[in-house]
Amino acid sequence: EVKLVESGGGLVKPGGSLKLSCAASGFTFSSYAMSWVRQTPEKRLEWVASISSGGSTYYPDSVKGRFTISRDNARNILYLQMSSLRSEDTAMYYCARASTTTGRDFDYWGQGTTLTVSS
Amino acid sequence: QIVLSQSPAILSASPGEKVTMTCRASSSVSYMHWYQQKPGSSPKPWIYATSNLASGVPARFSGSGSGTSYSLTISRVEAEDAATYYCQQWSSNPHMYTFGGGTKLEIK
């Protein structure tokens, strides 16, 4: 059974940093691209970062230079290091696996971890 | 950057009705994916690559479309279908995933 379990969320002051983790199990982690997707309080879904199986990373402009995605294939863990946090980063953060089917959908999602950026 | 617009924002239907929700892309895309989300839960894969039902999705759901217009149709709505449905696409250049704003389906 595929499982993705996020952790590390919390309350952070603007300008602060935080690192999220996603523990993966039930599949060959190193073979899959992985992503972080967030859901804002307004329920909007936003793609945050992706890392390929080979380690290439991708970000939208909204987080580029502030967020870093990485993976530890030996421990089956996905990370998201976030810095220079802003109030607009407040969201539920989901870890998601990119499927290998045509068109790159997300075929498994974790339960999410909440980040609140507030003074 | 491709923008996905979903309509309507809220859809109200009675059990047994046929409903259709639409996702329009600002530029042509090759495939569209759909997710179902209920309150307190993470999004569930629902339809992938435009017309393929994810595992466990009832056959009353279907997906279609091409180019800039895609749709999700429920042939006969049931109470359990009440949820928010999001569309999503991926582009390779630049590498980017985009989501629509969602359609909330309410059952009367």
Side-chain angles (χ1 to χ4, degrees):
Chain A
E1 179 196 6
V2 172
K3 283 192 74 175
L4 300 170
V5 180
E6 303 93 335
S7 60
L11 173 63
V12 178
K13 288 183 168 50
S17 300
L18 198 68
K19 189 172 186 176
L20 306 182
S21 300
C22 170
S25 60
F27 65 103
T28 305
F29 179 71
S30 59
S31 297
Y32 285 84
M34 299 294 297
S35 293
W36 289 94
V37 176
R38 65 187 179 189
Q39 187 163 37
T40 69
E42 298 78 24
K43 299 305 181 185
R44 189 174 63 248
L45 289 170
E46 298 177 343
W47 166 66
V48 171
S50 291
I51 185 167
S52 71
S53 57
S56 298
T57 59
Y58 307 90
Y59 308 92
D61 288 344
S62 58
V63 307
K64 197 174 293 183
R66 300 189 300 123
F67 290 13
T68 302
I69 188 172
S70 61
R71 62 193 303 162
D72 183 338
N73 289 334
R75 299 176 63 198
N76 293 347
I77 301 177
L78 180 72
Y79 299 103
L80 185 67
Q81 175 70 53
M82 304 180 291
S83 61
S84 302
L85 285 164
R86 307 166 180 167
S87 58
E88 54 263 39
D89 296 317
T90 293
M92 175 76 82
Y93 283 74
Y94 294 104
C95 164
R97 189 181 86 167
S99 81
T100 56
T101 59
T102 305
R104 300 281 187 100
D105 60 310
F106 299 113
D107 61 355
Y108 286 94
W109 297 62
Q111 86 290 344
T113 188
T114 302
L115 168 67
T116 302
V117 182
S118 174
S119 55
Chain B
Q1 177 180 338
I2 293 176
V3 176
L4 300 181
S5 300
Q6 290 188 244
S7 61
I10 301 175
L11 183 55
S12 185
S14 299
E17 270 190 59
K18 178 179 180 180
V19 300
T20 297
M21 59 189 73
T22 298
C23 179
R24 289 196 165 82
S26 57
S27 300
S28 182
V29 299
S30 299
Y31 299 97
M32 194 64 70
H33 314 294
W34 297 84
Y35 302 87
Q36 181 198 66
Q37 187 179 34
K38 295 186 176 182
S41 296
S42 41
K44 289 183 179 177
W46 212 245
I47 295 175
Y48 66 93
T50 303
S51 58
N52 300 279
L53 301 185
S55 178
V57 174
R60 61 181 179 274
F61 285 85
S62 64
S64 64
S66 64
T68 61
S69 185
Y70 293 81
S71 62
L72 181 157
T73 298
I74 310 173
S75 60
R76 290 176 300 278
V77 166
E78 296 188 10
E80 67 177 19
D81 300 335
T84 301
Y85 295 84
Y86 295 92
C87 59
Q88 175 253 314
Q89 70 87 33
W90 172 77
S91 57
S92 59
N93 188 19
H95 182 116
M96 180 172 289
Y97 296 87
T98 310
F99 290 90
T103 290
K104 185 177 183 179
L105 175 61
E106 298 177 340
I107 309 301
K108 295 177 186 172

